[in-house]
Amino acid sequence: MFKNIIILIILGYSLFLNFGHCDQYKHEPNRCQFGINALKTFHIPDELYTTVSTRMGYMQELGVKWDRSDFWWHKIEQKQGIFDFTFPDTAIQFYEQNGIQMFPILCYHSNWANNGAAPATIEEQELFARYVEHCVRRYKNQITYWELWNEPNILPFWKPNPNVADYTALLKKSYIAAKKANPNCQIVGVCMAGYDPEFLERLYQLGGKDYFDVLSYHYYRTIPPEYEVPKELDDIHNLMARYNDGNKRIWITELGVSNHPKFGVPDDLHAAYLVRNHLLCFGSGYVDRIFQFDMINWTDDINATWDGMLGLMKTSGQRKPAYYAYQTMVNLLDGARIIGRVPFEGKDDIYAYVFEKDKQLIFVFWTMKGEKKFRINNNNRQITLINLFGEKSIIQNQSNELELTATEFPQYLLNAPSELILPASFKITPHSLELAPGEETETVLEVRNPFPRTITGKLLWTTSPGIIVTPQVSNVIIPANTVYQQRVKIKTNKNISENEYQIAYQFESESMFSKTVTTIKIHPEFNINVRPLYDREKKQWKIIVRITNQLKKPVVNATIYFSLENEKTIKSLGQVRIKNLKPGQQAETVFMVNAATLFTITKPFHLKVQFIPNEVWRKKTVVFPFAIHPIVEQPIQIDGILTEWEHIPCIELTQMQQVVRGNKTWSSNTLNGIVKLAWSSSDVYLAAEVVDIDPGYNPFPAGDLWRGDAVELYLGFAGPEDQRYYSGSDYQIGLSTGTETTQPFIFLWKKNIKIESGNIAICRLPNKYFLEARIPISELNGFTPKPNSVIGFDVAIDDLNRNESIDYARPPEGRSMMWHGTNMNWQNPSNWGIAIIK
């Protein structure tokens, strides 16, 4: 039986509100929170009364009233200064006649302005802003919400290379132009492909906060959404709150699950995951509207990519199970308000949410996997349950309790008992917190008492060491039919470690007991990024240091110290002063170093950057490693025996901070290693000695070799880069160990081929393996290694034990360690380390 609930503590004052709760849709002209990417109107303008009309019929059948549609600059302003709205006028009138609201995406290029590239210059951005102004003014009586661009953080949507500064500048100019045309319009901005914290935070640092009204982003998943979605939304909201933007709403303008037979999930799980994604997003309390992607598959070809099968229907028009599941959810929850999640003591794997619609409660519940039974208080004698696909069951109930069975497939309980309001409405806002050591924040509890009687009890906090809650204990009185709020202060000790901590709050009264756990993330006071770049012509190193102040107060008179450390030798390079760094502000410092200073070093070394603010106890140190790769005169024999490598400098992967996957299962005994590289005029050689309790086990095909035991090598022959996407000279190479019955191999992701002209060998020992490989440089566009060549470089070791799960419908198990970069190395070379060839 579920046991009610939670309240929060509070400092300062309490608020008793009239019965009811905050209308999160008060700013919405139409409270339908469901949208879809369906009609593709601008893609097929000649099919408005055929294909588009048919798709509109599907939307009406589904009950969805919002369609997200491109609104192309190059179609509306084909010649500079000459706007042709003939087709948009017709399309928007067609939308209105069919009761569908268009949500336009203002995009992309105009061929006469910049030849297909995104607007990057001031002149191009002003031209685009003029286009925005014309559109918003013309349709101010029909369209309120406009999305500014689509996925500017990735290719191909922002050409030639994504640049957050350029997008932010475009956003600012376009927002001002749109508000000039219609002060009541709402600009939906950011529109990230996936949660891209680096992109989003930089946009805030560049002053983008006040130039969009709603934040949008996209995500696609084929794993149970409970693994990632709630935390991801908390992380996004925490980042927004860090820049005093936590009250802004979030729209997910593309959300999809694939049922591709190779890369997706089966039809029934496709339906379940799609619905669960929506419910988790609305349940977060941050999300107002979600646009399903897509209405209809792009293709039904099983040899095509995963993203061709995101639709609710096949290309033939055949409805998938997901169609009926989505239709059921829309029909039941369209216009409903989320009250919250109902906790069940000791059953965290049951997900149960209460919605309110037309003065009735709808209780929806499921579990991640398997079946879980639970009970709720219930006085209704006739129970109506609706399953995922809309099938109704009537249950006769003779007791005051109701036993329900949660499965992977969500179910809806109609006319749910009002007793569920109390546990579901207990909220901490925000329900996930971020603090730096020594800082303090305030959180708010809200709870709704639906009963005609007063509830009294005691509220108690249980905290982790280093976290102080004030008051820790409080007596609570909640009058009948009110919404009750309290405030509480949470402070962290200045010596607390950067980590995630759980704190629990519980409510006790004569009739109930409930306990809930929330998370506090202790983040660094300063985010420090160091990027050395080499200028071949000037023979200088340009060391870029970006420091973001993540404290709630300014930092004044700070100093950055630069030095080189080679074994026990320390050489000071100089220092830079920073006078004032406001909260959330990023300072960029460029420090020049003569090339000879680094080139005289013949063993691996570190560039050390130390940031010392006015509060000296908050000082931070960042080290940037440089690897040394020698040129060898004699070929190295590839046999898995590493005696020839004795005098080659090694790269160590031994530290917890190098773990990029599987932190919870990693220890120095489960995975660590050293890697060595050497060059000849024709080949690059690699040797690895890896500690692994199940050595050399990789049953995966080439493209997925990273899931098993493997070494990944990253090479950037143009030198270290500061851009987020691969250039033509960047390579990711995988070296699979194979298994005892299959051969190891070398795989080149860029060309999607195995390198048959190379050699690879493995030697397995108890709890360890040795791997050795030769990779012909001719496979890498013929780079010529010379003394003092500077390359972008990184290396990873991946690990999976055979007792761990190989399940494509779950996050990958196992572990991975990266020498310097991140788990985004496969697409982002700006995080790679650096090697100097000697």
Side-chain angles (χ1 to χ4, degrees):
M1 175 178 178
F2 93 77
K3 303 189 176 174
N4 307 23
I5 277 34
I6 323 151
I7 303 189
L8 282 202
I9 37 202
I10 276 9
L11 185 66
Y13 60 90
S14 303
L15 300 177
F16 296 97
L17 308 178
N18 293 331
F19 185 73
H21 58 283
C22 174
D23 187 352
Q24 68 189 46
Y25 304 104
K26 64 184 178 183
H27 55 285
E28 298 286 353
N30 178 345
R31 214 173 65 198
C32 173
Q33 62 265 50
F34 297 96
I36 198 165
N37 295 262
L39 304 183
K40 311 292 190 293
T41 312
F42 266 72
H43 294 78
I44 47 174
D46 297 333
E47 300 178 40
L48 188 63
Y49 297 100
T50 54
T51 303
V52 174
S53 181
T54 300
R55 291 175 181 175
M56 275 188 170
Y58 296 143
M59 286 188 66
Q60 292 163 341
E61 185 178 296
L62 287 167
V64 182
K65 299 180 177 66
W66 284 72
D67 174 64
R68 180 173 178 260
S69 173
D70 286 310
F71 221 73
W72 287 338
W73 182 17
H74 72 277
K75 290 292 186 182
I76 292 174
E77 190 181 1
Q78 295 186 29
K79 296 182 180 180
Q80 184 172 354
I82 302 176
F83 293 86
D84 183 357
F85 286 101
T86 304
F87 175 70
D89 286 350
T90 303
I92 290 174
Q93 182 181 19
F94 193 60
Y95 274 82
E96 289 185 321
Q97 291 170 350
N98 285 274
I100 301 296
Q101 175 65 56
M102 177 190 272
F103 172 46
I105 314 164
L106 293 162
C107 61
Y108 291 104
H109 60 276
S110 183
N111 289 332
W112 51 263
N114 51 16
N115 196 30
T121 68
I122 294 175
E123 179 185 6
E124 291 164 357
Q125 291 166 356
E126 288 174 349
L127 290 171
F128 184 84
R130 183 187 64 181
Y131 155 70
V132 170
E133 183 178 348
H134 274 74
C135 292
V136 173
R137 178 176 287 112
R138 187 174 187 88
Y139 301 114
K140 66 180 181 181
N141 294 325
Q142 291 104 333
I143 296 173
T144 301
Y145 288 88
W146 301 82
E147 191 164 36
L148 209 293
W149 214 266
N150 174 65
E151 301 186 352
N153 61 321
I154 66 167
L155 292 170
F157 299 107
W158 193 279
K159 299 177 181 178
N161 284 302
N163 185 304
V164 65
D166 289 343
Y167 173 72
T168 305
L170 184 73
L171 183 64
K172 291 179 178 180
K173 288 182 172 63
S174 300
Y175 184 88
I176 292 169
K179 293 293 184 178
K180 178 182 177 183
N182 178 10
N184 296 320
C185 77
Q186 296 284 289
I187 296 299
V188 180
V190 184
C191 199
M192 298 174 288
Y195 172 40
D196 187 338
E198 182 181 339
F199 183 89
L200 180 58
E201 183 151 29
R202 187 64 183 138
L203 183 143
Y204 274 110
Q205 291 163 354
L206 291 166
K209 168 192 168 186
D210 297 325
Y211 297 93
F212 61 100
D213 303 299
V214 178
L215 183 146
S216 64
Y217 91 111
H218 302 163
Y219 78 79
Y220 296 87
R221 285 185 175 84
T222 53
I223 64 173
E226 296 80 10
Y227 282 117
E228 296 175 345
V229 171
K231 183 180 186 306
E232 181 171 275
L233 286 167
D234 279 342
D235 288 346
I236 292 174
H237 182 263
N238 281 336
L239 194 154
M240 295 168 69
R242 201 182 306 149
Y243 290 89
N244 298 314
D245 208 23
N247 291 326
K248 191 170 285 180
R249 306 302 297 170
I250 297 172
W251 286 15
I252 300 174
T253 52
E254 289 183 25
L255 184 158
V257 180
S258 175
N259 72 326
H260 192 290
K262 294 181 181 178
F263 312 112
V265 293
D267 284 354
D268 56 350
L269 286 181
H270 177 227
Y273 288 2
L274 182 63
V275 170
R276 282 155 55 177
N277 270 288
H278 279 74
L279 296 172
L280 288 168
C281 290
F282 291 135
S284 73
Y286 310 132
V287 176
D288 274 358
R289 183 162 286 132
I290 301 172
F291 288 80
Q292 153 68 15
F293 198 102
D294 201 357
M295 166 80 83
I296 301 173
N297 284 358
W298 292 347
T299 178
D300 295 333
D301 182 0
I302 62 172
N303 296 312
T305 56
W306 65 273
D307 53 349
M309 298 185 183
L310 295 163
L312 303 175
M313 308 168 70
K314 295 184 177 181
T315 57
S316 64
Q318 179 183 346
R319 292 158 177 78
K320 302 180 187 179
Y323 184 97
Y324 300 105
Y326 184 77
Q327 181 185 48
T328 300
M329 175 177 61
V330 171
N331 289 341
L332 289 174
L333 299 183
D334 176 30
R337 295 179 175 89
I338 179 69
I339 294 179
R341 181 179 177 182
V342 179
F344 291 90
E345 188 178 359
K347 296 182 179 180
D348 293 340
D349 53 350
I350 293 178
Y351 292 82
Y353 290 85
V354 178
F355 290 83
E356 186 174 40
K357 179 180 179 180
D358 300 330
K359 298 183 180 181
Q360 299 293 328
L361 298 183
I362 301 172
F363 179 59
V364 56
F365 57 92
W366 73 93
T367 188
M368 280 185 63
K369 198 165 186 178
E371 293 186 355
K372 303 286 182 182
K373 293 186 182 296
F374 64 99
R375 292 178 177 271
I376 61 173
N377 296 329
N378 182 76
N379 294 318
N380 295 334
R381 293 297 172 244
Q382 184 168 288
I383 307 301
T384 301
L385 276 176
I386 296 180
N387 74 6
L388 178 66
F389 304 107
E391 298 169 344
K392 183 185 293 186
S393 300
I394 305 297
I395 302 173
Q396 302 300 324
N397 185 46
Q398 303 302 319
S399 71
N400 293 330
E401 287 187 349
L402 176 64
E403 184 177 78
L404 296 168
T405 302
T407 70
E408 295 174 86
F409 307 99
Q411 301 172 70
Y412 306 86
L413 172 65
L414 303 188
N415 297 317
S418 59
E419 285 86 350
L420 292 173
I421 291 177
L422 193 62
S425 66
F426 269 103
K427 296 183 178 71
I428 300 176
T429 306
H431 49 72
S432 175
L433 301 169
E434 285 191 348
L435 284 172
E439 285 198 327
E440 181 180 282
T441 192
E442 198 173 60
T443 188
V444 176
L445 161 78
E446 181 177 298
V447 62
R448 176 176 167 183
N449 179 5
F451 304 121
R453 65 179 187 275
T454 297
I455 298 175
T456 62
K458 180 180 290 187
L459 193 65
L460 173 68
W461 285 83
T462 304
T463 63
S464 300
I467 300 174
I468 303 168
V469 176
T470 308
Q472 189 172 2
V473 181
S474 58
N475 295 316
V476 176
I477 301 174
I478 310 176
N481 298 323
T482 62
V483 174
Y484 176 81
Q485 287 186 338
Q486 285 189 314
R487 297 186 182 274
V488 58
K489 287 185 176 178
I490 298 177
K491 185 175 182 179
T492 59
N493 187 289
K494 71 178 186 178
N495 297 319
I496 195 169
S497 300
E498 297 165 10
N499 207 334
E500 289 190 357
Y501 297 87
Q502 291 186 333
I503 57 175
Y505 50 98
Q506 63 187 48
F507 179 68
E508 300 176 0
S509 73
E510 291 182 0
S511 57
M512 67 185 71
F513 169 83
S514 185
K515 181 177 180 180
T516 296
V517 175
T518 191
T519 300
I520 294 182
K521 181 179 179 180
I522 308 300
H523 62 70
E525 297 95 326
F526 312 104
N527 183 13
I528 303 177
N529 177 267
V530 178
R531 191 67 192 160
L533 302 177
Y534 180 56
D535 188 326
R536 285 186 171 87
E537 293 183 2
K538 295 182 180 179
K539 297 188 183 303
Q540 282 189 314
W541 287 90
K542 181 170 77 170
I543 301 171
I544 303 173
V545 181
R546 300 182 179 100
I547 300 177
T548 303
N549 179 13
Q550 299 192 116
L551 295 170
K552 300 179 184 298
K553 58 184 178 181
V555 174
V556 295
N557 297 324
T559 306
I560 306 174
Y561 295 93
F562 297 85
S563 61
L564 294 178
E565 294 192 1
N566 177 18
E567 294 182 338
K568 296 182 179 180
T569 302
I570 300 175
K571 180 176 182 178
S572 175
L573 298 176
Q575 63 188 56
V576 174
R577 300 280 291 177
I578 296 180
K579 292 183 178 180
N580 185 32
L581 195 57
K582 297 177 182 178
Q585 184 180 6
Q586 182 180 88
E588 183 173 299
T589 297
V590 177
F591 188 79
M592 306 302 296
V593 179
N594 187 283
T597 305
L598 275 61
F599 288 162
T600 56
I601 304 174
T602 59
K603 295 182 179 181
F605 63 94
H606 290 86
L607 168 67
K608 182 178 179 181
V609 178
Q610 190 171 52
F611 178 70
I612 302 182
N614 49 316
E615 292 179 300
V616 177
W617 62 274
R618 293 189 185 272
K619 67 181 180 182
K620 292 289 179 182
T621 301
V622 174
V623 293
F624 192 101
F626 284 74
I628 300 295
H629 296 171
I631 297 175
V632 295
E633 295 182 0
Q634 298 298 323
I636 297 176
Q637 186 176 354
I638 305 303
D639 54 11
I641 301 171
L642 308 188
T643 53
E644 296 172 271
W645 292 83
E646 182 178 352
H647 300 293
I648 304 294
C650 67
I651 297 138
E652 296 183 354
L653 292 96
T654 58
Q655 304 299 315
M656 178 66 184
Q657 58 265 32
Q658 295 175 310
V659 179
V660 294
R661 174 165 54 90
N663 300 62
K664 293 182 179 179
T665 60
W666 180 86
S667 72
S668 59
N669 295 324
T670 57
L671 180 68
N672 74 78
I674 60 170
V675 178
K676 300 183 178 186
L677 268 83
W679 297 80
S680 72
S681 59
S682 59
D683 301 288
V684 55
Y685 296 93
L686 178 143
E689 179 181 343
V690 180
V691 172
D692 180 358
I693 58 176
D694 186 4
Y697 172 67
N698 194 327
F700 293 93
D704 285 339
L705 65 84
W706 57 272
R707 289 176 173 264
D709 288 356
V711 176
E712 297 177 57
L713 177 62
Y714 301 86
L715 300 172
F717 295 132
E721 298 175 280
D722 201 30
Q723 68 180 34
R724 289 157 42 94
Y725 288 89
Y726 277 28
S727 67
S729 58
D730 295 323
Y731 295 86
Q732 179 189 10
I733 303 162
L735 303 127
S736 170
T737 65
T739 66
E740 292 90 341
T741 58
T742 61
Q743 294 299 312
F745 60 86
I746 307 170
F747 182 71
L748 182 59
W749 266 280
K750 176 174 285 189
K751 298 180 180 179
N752 198 32
I753 59 170
K754 290 183 180 180
I755 299 179
E756 304 290 354
S757 58
N759 304 103
I760 183 170
I762 182 171
C763 177
R764 296 178 179 85
L765 298 174
N767 299 320
K768 179 185 290 190
Y769 68 86
F770 299 98
L771 185 141
E772 201 173 17
R774 178 187 65 85
I775 304 163
I777 297 175
S778 59
E779 300 280 3
L780 311 175
N781 288 354
F783 168 72
T784 302
K786 297 178 181 178
N788 290 334
S789 295
V790 177
I791 63 171
F793 163 75
D794 222 313
V795 66
I797 51 175
D798 304 318
D799 174 42
L800 181 78
N801 300 332
R802 67 194 72 218
N803 63 340
E804 294 175 300
S805 174
I806 302 175
D807 186 350
Y808 283 85
R810 296 178 59 189
E813 294 196 13
R815 291 144 294 280
S816 183
M817 301 182 73
M818 193 76 67
W819 175 59
H820 180 265
T822 71
N823 59 0
M824 297 302 292
N825 265 19
W826 60 275
Q827 72 170 25
N828 184 355
S830 70
N831 294 311
W832 296 3
I834 295 173
I836 300 175
I837 296 176
K838 290 292 184 181

